[in-house]
Amino acid sequence: MAKLKWGMIGGGEGSQIGPAHQLSARLDGLFDFCAGALDHRPDYGVDYGQRLGLGDRAYGGWQEMLQGEKKRDDRIDLVTVATPNSTHFEITKAFLEGGFNVLCEKPMTMTVEEGEHIVSIAKKTGNICAVNYGYTGYSLVRHMKAMIARGDIGKIRLVNTEFAHGHHADAADADNPRVRWRYDPALAGVSAQFADCGIHALHMASFVTGQNVTKLSADTVSCIDIRTLEDDAMVNFRMDGGAVGRLWTSSIAIGRQHGLAIQVFGETGGLRWSQEQPNQLYYMPLGERLQVIERGEANLSPEADRTTRVTIGHAEGMPLAFANIYADLAEAISARKEGRAIDPAANLYPKAEDGLRSMAAVHAVAASGKADGEWLDARPKSMR
Ligand code: NAI
C-alpha cells in the first residue's frame, strides 16, 4: 500500500482531540501529516503547523487550505475535521465538493437537513465521508460485532448502553465560559449531553448489533438549573431487528470518568464491554460459566485480528482504537486508487449515514424530552 497524505483542520495546540488524531493517523505509517489549518487564530495555526513540520502547507484557515491543496499534484488523500461542532457542516461539505475524502468529528452536523445534504454530496462526488465514532475501532468491539453477527448469543433481546461522566457536575463551575457554552442552545444546538456523548452510546448499539434505531422516548433533565439544555438523559429505544434499547447519558455523574459501556443480551447469551477496560470482553453463554475474552487471544474473528497490535496482556487504548479507523480509511482509499475491492474487515469505519442517523436521534431526543417522553420516530426522513 503506497503511503497516503493526511491533513487536519482544527485540533490545534492545546485542543482536546487534536493530539489523539495526530497520534492515530500516523501510528501504522499509512499516512504522512502533510497539511493543516489547525487553529481558529490564523497566526497560531501557521506557527503550530510549521513547528510540526508542515512548511508552506501550514495554512491560516480552512478556505486557504482548500484552495492551496486543490492546486497541488500531491494533494492530501484525507482531511480530518476536528473543529467545534457548528463548523463541521460547512468544512466537510466544501472539502467533499473539492474532491477530498473527509473524516469528520462527531456530531457530523447540527441539523438533520445538513446531515441529509452531506450524505447526498458524498454519494454524488463518490468521495469517502467518515464520522469519528472512534470507539468502534476497539478490537474487542469489532469482535463483539462479529460474535453477534455469527449468532453466538442468538437473537438480540435487549441492549443496555451508557455514556455517563461527572465532569460537569460542579454547580459552582457551571457558569465557567468553557463549560457554559456546551449547554447554550445558540452554540450547542438542541441538545448538550446527548449530542456530545449519548450519540456515541447509541451508535455503538447499532454498530455491534447491526440494527438501526427506529423510535425513541427520552427523559431529559438539567440537574444544574441554570442550564437550558440537558445534562442527563434516559432514552428508551427500539431497533429494526426487534431489539429493545436502554441508554443513559450524563455529565453530572460524580465519580464516573469516561463512562462508555455496553451490554447486549440475546436468547442464548450476553456480552459486556466497557471503554475503561477495553482489553476484556465478558461473554456469558446461557447456562454456562462467565468467560473473559482477552484482546489478542488466539482464534478470535478476522475483524479482531486486524485491529490488534501488541500481544495479549499488554494494554491497548484509545489512540489505537482511533488508529484502527485510520487504518480502515487507508485501506478504503487505497482500494479505490488501485481499483480493487476493500477488505471487508476494514469496511467498518463509521460513515456519513451513521452521522445522519445520529442527528435524527439527537433531534428526536430533544423533542421527546420536551413532550414528556412521547415516543417519536428516530429515523431521518430518507431512511424511513
Ligand atoms: P477544542 O475546543 O479543545 O479544540 C478545537 C480546536 O479547533 C482548537 O484548536 C481551535 O483553535 C480549532 N478551531 C476552531 N475553529 C476553527 C476553524 N474555523 N478553523 C480551524 N481551526 C479551528 O475542541 P475539542 O474538544 O478538541 O473538540 C473538537 C471536536 O472533536 C468536537 O466536534 C468534539 O465533539 C469532537 N470530539 C470527539 C471526540 C471523540 O471521541 N470522537 C472526543 C472529543 C471531542
Side-chain angles (χ1 to χ4, degrees), residues 67-360:
Q67 294 317 321
E69 290 299 309
K70 266 164 95 171
K71 287 188 204 131
R72 300 184 71 102
D73 293 335
D74 61 347
R75 49 160 49 191
I76 47 171
D77 296 290
L78 174 71
V79 64
T80 294
V81 179
T83 51
N85 304 354
S86 62
T87 63
H88 292 174
F89 172 66
E90 62 169 347
I91 301 175
T92 299
K93 175 176 178 295
F95 274 81
L96 285 172
E97 287 173 341
F100 295 89
N101 300 306
V102 179
L103 170 60
C104 182
E105 262 303 346
K106 45 56 61 175
M108 183 173 80
T109 58
M110 298 289 280
T111 68
V112 189
E113 293 70 27
E114 289 169 351
E116 298 273 17
H117 209 55
I118 294 292
V119 167
S120 75
I121 295 168
K123 270 195 197 129
K124 202 162 74 192
T125 60
N127 296 315
I128 292 171
C129 182
V131 183
N132 191 33
Y133 291 111
Y135 309 112
T136 61
Y138 277 106
S139 183
L140 288 180
V141 170
R142 301 268 168 118
H143 188 62
M144 193 173 182
K145 180 179 176 64
M147 286 180 75
I148 291 171
R150 72 190 183 200
D152 287 8
I153 61 169
K155 186 173 161 48
I156 305 305
R157 291 173 170 156
L158 184 71
V159 183
N160 190 334
T161 184
E162 59 190 46
F163 197 157
H165 66 79
H167 301 299
H168 303 151
D170 184 356
D173 196 43
D175 212 16
N176 172 339
R178 287 199 328 270
V179 177
R180 189 171 189 154
W181 75 264
R182 295 169 183 277
Y183 300 90
D184 177 352
L187 297 168
V190 297
S191 160
Q193 180 57 18
F194 184 80
D196 192 30
C197 293
I199 57 171
H200 274 295
L202 197 70
H203 178 261
M204 184 65 85
S206 289
F207 182 79
V208 297
T209 61
Q211 299 186 26
N212 290 311
V213 177
T214 51
K215 61 177 184 173
L216 61 78
S217 156
D219 180 11
T220 56
V221 285
S222 304
C223 293
I224 294 184
D225 55 16
I226 63 158
R227 290 177 177 159
T228 317
L229 297 176
E230 86 289 352
D231 52 23
D232 186 284
M234 187 65 87
V235 182
N236 284 307
F237 57 96
R238 297 289 184 272
M239 308 189 83
D240 57 9
V244 171
R246 317 274 185 218
L247 182 155
W248 173 46
T249 188
S250 187
S251 66
I252 55 91
I254 296 172
R256 290 290 193 114
Q257 294 304 334
H258 188 264
L260 173 65
I262 184 157
Q263 297 180 79
V264 183
F265 304 101
E267 287 177 349
T268 60
L271 288 162
R272 172 161 59 92
W273 179 85
S274 154
Q275 205 277 147
E276 291 178 30
Q277 280 87 38
N279 295 288
Q280 286 81 35
L281 173 64
Y282 293 86
Y283 171 41
M284 182 78 189
L286 180 68
E288 292 180 35
R289 285 217 169 118
L290 180 68
Q291 299 177 18
V292 183
I293 298 171
E294 293 281 342
R295 186 204 47 74
E297 264 183 31
N299 304 317
L300 294 184
S301 54
E303 291 86 345
D305 291 344
R306 187 177 183 280
T307 49
T308 191
R309 291 176 183 77
V310 296
T311 48
I312 186 167
H314 300 289
E316 282 190 11
M318 180 265 221
L320 284 87
F322 279 26
N324 289 330
I325 304 289
Y326 279 99
D328 289 349
L329 286 167
E331 164 63 9
I333 295 167
S334 301
R336 283 174 183 218
K337 284 187 166 193
E338 293 159 20
R340 60 175 171 81
I342 182 175
D343 173 355
N347 198 14
L348 295 176
Y349 63 89
K351 311 205 166 53
E353 285 79 0
D354 298 296
L356 167 59
R357 282 199 181 90
S358 296
M359 281 328 293

